[in-house]
Amino acid sequence: VEKLIVLGSGSALPTTTRNPSAQLIKSNSYYYLIDCGEGTQLRLRDLKIPFNRITHIFISHLHGDHIYGLPGLISTFSLLGRTNDLKIFGPKGIKEFIQTAFKLSESYLAFPYQIIEFEDQYNDLHLIGETKHDTFQIFSLNHRIKCYGYLIKEKAKPRKLIKEALEEYNIPLAYRNVIKQGADFQASNGEIIPNKLLTLPPKSAISYAYCSDNRIKEEQLLFLKGSKYLYHEATFEHELLDIAKKTMHSTAYEAGILANKLNVNTLLIGHYSGRYTKVDFLLNEAKQNFKNTIAVKDKQVIEF
Ligand SMILES: [Zn+2]
């Protein structure tokens, strides 16, 4: 995965500067969409994202600010003559939501799609799919209705060949692939050239954990330990902890504690309450507990 594109960083009430939740992960010229609040397709248009390059959609939960953009977006896919497959993942009910919208509007989708629903409680990472380059895992979050987080993780990359060493030891072309995978080379005279003389360690695999609406239960999320990027909602300032508890949300301060505990590389916060016009103080709150925090903004691009 190469970058994150923030399409919506707000929560329930859209504002003039913040759309409801939606994020895009770019991976090898394809895109994964996470949540699809109202206005998502306009943001995609604005940012000139080719619609047919979106191959997977991951929905966290069925609250409107995470799904109201979905029927419109999928309908546009169809109008644009999409032919390639689309996979939509989400909690049970997402299928009925989509199909009801199309049934009542007497429209239908002219491209192949699959809707994969979940209803189990996942207290650990659960593999739900993969591409050539990445794996997708789901886990349960603690919210008012069934809510899931997603972990998108690059598969381990092959080791990097040292061109000069390959020449020096006369390694035939046919062996290069197995050497990239970590094999030693045995020369025709029986001499063994250890892999470490021929390759360098691969670039570390990037992992992106998306935790939308939830009341933090840290002991539940320990399996995210060491993830490179953690996105976590920070709907409220810590002063409003009572409201956060009542609505099953988290504060920026708490998101910072979690990031620290999980020892991630970077924390991203978002899903800000519509009551805030500026979010600097939410950022500072999170930073009290975890320095490397970014308060995401709509249309922001974060290169991994
Ligand atoms: Zn919600």
Side-chain angles (χ1 to χ4, degrees):
V1 295
E2 296 133 38
K3 58 174 121 173
L4 162 72
I5 304 163
V6 180
L7 304 172
S9 65
S11 59
L13 284 176
T15 71
T16 49
T17 51
R18 289 198 295 262
N19 270 20
S21 291
Q23 297 188 352
L24 208 54
I25 299 283
K26 182 166 190 266
S27 173
N28 295 281
S29 72
Y30 288 95
Y31 295 91
Y32 312 136
L33 176 65
I34 316 176
D35 279 337
C36 189
E38 193 183 338
T40 296
Q41 64 168 318
L42 298 176
R43 281 275 190 268
L44 292 168
R45 268 274 148 91
D46 198 9
L47 297 167
K48 301 192 167 52
I49 306 294
F51 282 16
N52 63 352
R53 293 278 171 170
I54 299 174
T55 54
H56 294 68
I57 300 179
F58 300 97
I59 298 295
S60 63
H61 66 304
L62 300 184
H63 279 155
D65 54 328
H66 297 255
I67 60 168
Y68 284 168
L70 203 46
L73 176 66
I74 304 173
S75 165
T76 301
F77 286 169
S78 200
L79 292 173
L80 291 175
R82 180 182 178 118
T83 52
N84 58 317
D85 187 52
L86 175 70
K87 287 192 175 73
I88 303 169
F89 300 82
K92 190 172 166 52
I94 191 70
K95 192 173 194 166
E96 190 185 343
F97 171 71
I98 293 169
Q99 290 182 340
T100 303
F102 291 118
K103 194 178 90 192
L104 296 179
S105 59
E106 296 191 15
S107 39
Y108 80 105
L109 300 178
F111 63 92
Y113 67 98
Q114 296 163 57
I115 302 174
I116 301 109
E117 294 189 312
F118 304 97
E119 52 181 332
D120 290 348
Q121 171 76 21
Y122 296 112
N123 294 326
D124 206 341
L125 294 171
H126 176 76
L127 186 72
I128 55 168
E130 62 180 328
T131 63
K132 192 173 153 203
H133 302 284
D134 309 305
T135 61
F136 310 118
Q137 289 167 287
I138 197 171
F139 50 92
S140 287
L141 291 171
N142 178 34
H143 195 40
R144 300 199 299 281
I145 59 173
K146 198 167 274 300
C147 186
Y148 293 110
Y150 294 95
L151 179 68
I152 297 173
K153 203 173 175 181
E154 279 182 337
K155 290 180 178 173
K157 292 191 168 163
R159 298 180 65 82
K160 283 190 259 175
L161 299 172
I162 306 170
K163 211 173 144 224
E164 298 75 26
L166 297 179
E167 278 164 17
E168 186 186 336
Y169 293 104
N170 267 320
I171 310 291
L173 218 58
Y175 285 86
R176 295 191 176 182
N177 255 332
V178 290
I179 288 169
K180 268 194 200 171
Q181 303 307 321
D184 296 334
F185 176 72
Q186 187 168 14
S188 48
N189 65 6
E191 192 194 348
I192 305 257
I193 320 289
N195 189 279
K196 64 169 194 261
L197 292 181
L198 303 171
T199 65
L200 294 169
K203 241 177 86 187
S204 69
I206 289 165
S207 48
Y208 181 76
Y210 178 83
C211 300
S212 70
D213 306 22
N214 79 101
R215 179 79 213 117
I216 288 187
K217 259 192 180 176
E218 291 154 43
E219 72 278 13
Q220 264 189 349
L221 298 173
L222 290 176
F223 44 77
L224 297 177
K225 218 168 183 155
S227 297
K228 201 133 190 200
Y229 293 88
L230 170 71
Y231 167 80
H232 199 284
E233 68 126 299
T235 312
F236 298 108
E237 67 202 286
H238 207 58
E239 180 96 9
L240 300 183
L241 181 61
D242 281 350
I243 304 179
K245 282 182 176 167
K246 223 175 281 166
T247 53
M248 299 292 274
H249 282 295
S250 304
T251 68
Y253 187 85
E254 291 174 307
I257 295 177
L258 180 70
N260 188 37
K261 196 162 262 182
L262 296 181
N263 195 25
V264 298
N265 190 289
T266 307
L267 169 67
L268 307 152
I269 56 168
H271 197 267
Y272 318 113
S273 162
R275 56 167 60 69
Y276 305 124
T277 43
K278 286 200 168 153
V279 296
D280 313 25
F281 68 103
L282 292 176
L283 177 63
N284 290 335
E285 235 182 40
K287 277 188 168 176
Q288 283 178 42
N289 296 313
F290 191 79
K291 214 158 184 272
N292 195 17
T293 302
I294 300 170
V296 302
K297 288 192 286 230
D298 282 40
K299 302 202 228 175
Q300 187 174 8
V301 178
I302 291 160
E303 305 276 349
F304 292 149

